Amino acid sequence: MLRSRHTGPDKAREPLHSDSAEPPWTRNDALVTGGACAMNLLSYVFFNAPDGQHEVSVAGFFLVALAAMPLLARRSHPVAALAAVLALDVTAALTVPLPAHFGAVLVVALYSVARACPGRVTTAAAVATVSLTLLSQSHGRIPPWQEAVASPLTTLIVVGTAMAVNRWQREVAANRRLLADRAVADERRRIARELHDIVAHHITTMQLMAGGARANLAEPEVVRDALVTLESSGRLALREMRQLLDVLRAGDEPEAAPSLPQPGVDDLDRLVAESRLAGLPTEFSVRGPQRPLPPTVGLTVFRIAQEALTNTRKYAGAARASVQLTYHQERITVEVRDDGGGAPPQEEASAVGSGGYGLIGMRERVALHGGTLTVGPQADGGFAVVADLPLTTDEAAVQHEEAHR
């Protein structure tokens, strides 16, 4: 099933799962903090201090470990975390003999500031880091040229790396938006071509009915039936032509081969059968009295079910799926659900990819009819796609006429 959290158009919505109070840091923050702390402790234990002494004390061990704790807040408060790390590092350097080096904790704190803050803040943080590091580790004396060069060079490398990562992420985000926009444009052109076929069918029917009425003017009943069909087709063609003009885009390339008749709700049985043959056990059920649907609504129902079942086969593994079509008085609902192959809800949701554009196509089609689309994991495992499409008064009237004809 589609594993996407993006909501897209306003008409499409997803269920939101509210969590309890979130911890102030993530598991990754704790892992980074622990790793940086371990590296600093190893440096304190195995490297000599500037005066050649190699004394490992409980106070020194505690201060070195304590200096890593502010990293837990590096994502939410990067500048404050760096300031706390610098303060604790200076305290440790002035209290116990420490090796003269640019510690891993300080690297992580400065990197976090450079990733999250603008250039001026990053520059000020870099200058403060170099200055305080040199002053604390040299104890007010002029440091050797190796130490005087090492700290600024390390700071430059850390800040440069963070800026390069920021630039790379901006490019990735821009490419992702470009691909999403292109997917939207391609889907809208596809919808426009499909609607074009439906509108052309209605206009052809109107032409044939008008010709039949003219040829049978002496038979009032035949003429009446032809005019009723002509009126119904004209009403639907007008509505669908408006929809077509909303999504049609200039520059659409013509298709080399003529398109096939567009599917509808009557083809759902075939779609479910194909899904079973492809290895996905699928059930199909219909609720409410069945009645003819406008061709564009039927096409949207079919495409949503088709895309949802395709993604179930791709992502849900050894799952079972169900397709349910519900006829209401003024709307129709299509639901495609899977059981996730027995995976717990959180595992099912974590296997989701954020990339795919099938959901974009679903939302475009549902938004075209002013409906709502709900997608997301189910409480008992699996995934669900539910589309609710309203029927206008004109469409309901046409259905009523066709049902009692």
Side-chain angles (χ1 to χ4, degrees):
M1 200 54 56
L2 290 174
R3 274 47 175 180
S4 179
R5 292 286 181 184
H6 301 287
T7 53
D10 292 338
K11 293 293 183 181
R13 50 186 170 84
E14 296 184 11
L16 299 178
H17 301 277
S18 60
D19 297 329
S20 56
E22 296 183 355
W25 59 79
T26 65
R27 183 179 62 178
N28 288 339
D29 292 332
L31 291 175
V32 170
T33 301
C37 179
M39 293 181 66
N40 274 18
L41 289 175
L42 289 174
S43 175
Y44 172 62
V45 171
F46 293 106
F47 289 90
N48 290 331
D51 55 5
Q53 297 178 359
H54 186 68
E55 297 179 358
V56 178
S57 63
V58 175
F61 201 91
F62 174 77
L63 287 173
V64 172
L66 183 63
M69 294 301 103
L71 292 184
L72 293 173
R74 66 189 182 91
R75 293 183 183 273
S76 57
H77 303 89
V79 176
L82 175 61
V85 167
L86 284 173
L88 292 171
D89 265 359
V90 169
T91 302
L94 297 177
T95 304
V96 296
L98 292 177
H101 73 293
F102 204 94
V105 172
L106 199 54
V107 168
V108 174
L110 181 59
Y111 178 82
S112 301
V113 171
R115 285 294 311 278
C117 300
R120 288 180 295 180
V121 176
T122 301
T123 301
V127 172
T129 300
V130 173
S131 302
L132 291 176
T133 300
L134 289 176
L135 290 174
S136 62
Q137 293 183 357
S138 62
H139 297 276
R141 299 187 300 268
I142 298 177
W145 69 270
Q146 297 92 336
E147 296 179 13
V149 171
S151 290
L153 183 59
T154 304
T155 300
L156 182 62
I157 293 174
V158 172
V159 173
T161 302
M163 294 177 64
V165 172
N166 281 344
R167 180 176 180 179
W168 173 75
Q169 286 192 340
R170 286 194 297 268
E171 292 177 353
V172 169
N175 290 336
R176 194 170 294 160
R177 287 193 298 268
L178 180 63
L179 290 175
D181 292 342
R182 186 176 299 172
V184 170
D186 290 343
E187 185 64 26
R188 288 181 176 178
R189 281 193 291 268
R190 181 185 176 193
I191 295 172
R193 287 194 294 269
E194 293 174 347
L195 291 180
H196 175 271
D197 294 339
I198 292 175
V199 171
H201 166 75
H202 285 308
I203 294 177
T204 301
T205 301
M206 293 166 61
Q207 180 183 2
L208 294 176
M209 292 299 100
R214 179 179 56 79
N216 294 276
L217 292 177
E219 302 181 27
E221 290 298 323
V222 175
V223 173
R224 180 183 179 281
D225 291 341
L227 291 178
V228 169
T229 303
L230 181 63
E231 179 187 7
S232 300
S233 296
R235 185 183 295 113
L236 283 176
L238 178 60
R239 173 175 173 78
E240 289 158 6
M241 181 65 76
R242 289 171 179 167
Q243 295 175 343
L244 174 63
L245 294 177
D246 287 339
V247 298
L248 191 59
R249 293 293 182 265
D252 188 17
E253 297 180 0
E255 294 183 343
S259 57
L260 298 175
Q262 298 300 338
V265 292
D266 294 335
D267 297 281
L268 288 178
D269 286 323
R270 172 179 59 83
L271 182 65
V272 171
E274 292 175 354
S275 179
R276 291 169 182 163
L277 291 176
L280 176 66
T282 308
E283 298 178 356
F284 177 54
S285 60
V286 180
R287 293 185 177 181
Q290 300 186 47
R291 56 186 186 272
L293 293 176
T296 52
V297 176
L299 174 62
T300 296
V301 169
F302 179 87
R303 292 300 186 204
I304 289 174
Q306 182 182 45
E307 184 66 31
L309 288 176
T310 299
N311 283 279
T312 299
R313 292 195 295 271
K314 287 182 180 179
Y315 302 114
R320 301 181 63 88
S322 65
V323 179
Q324 180 175 298
L325 191 64
T326 305
Y327 288 86
H328 304 280
Q329 184 175 359
E330 296 181 352
R331 71 184 194 279
I332 185 167
T333 304
V334 57
E335 304 176 31
V336 182
R337 304 177 184 271
D338 70 78
D339 59 10
Q346 63 272 16
E347 295 181 8
E348 175 74 4
S350 65
V352 180
S354 59
Y357 299 106
L359 184 56
I360 294 177
M362 288 188 188
R363 285 173 171 153
E364 288 295 317
R365 292 179 182 276
V366 171
L368 179 68
H369 295 280
T372 57
L373 178 69
T374 304
V375 298
Q378 303 181 99
D380 55 350
F383 210 78
V385 175
V386 181
D388 193 74
L389 304 173
L391 301 175
T392 64
T393 304
D394 289 342
E395 290 171 339
V398 171
Q399 292 179 28
H400 180 77
E401 291 177 3
E402 292 181 353
H404 294 80
R405 185 173 300 171

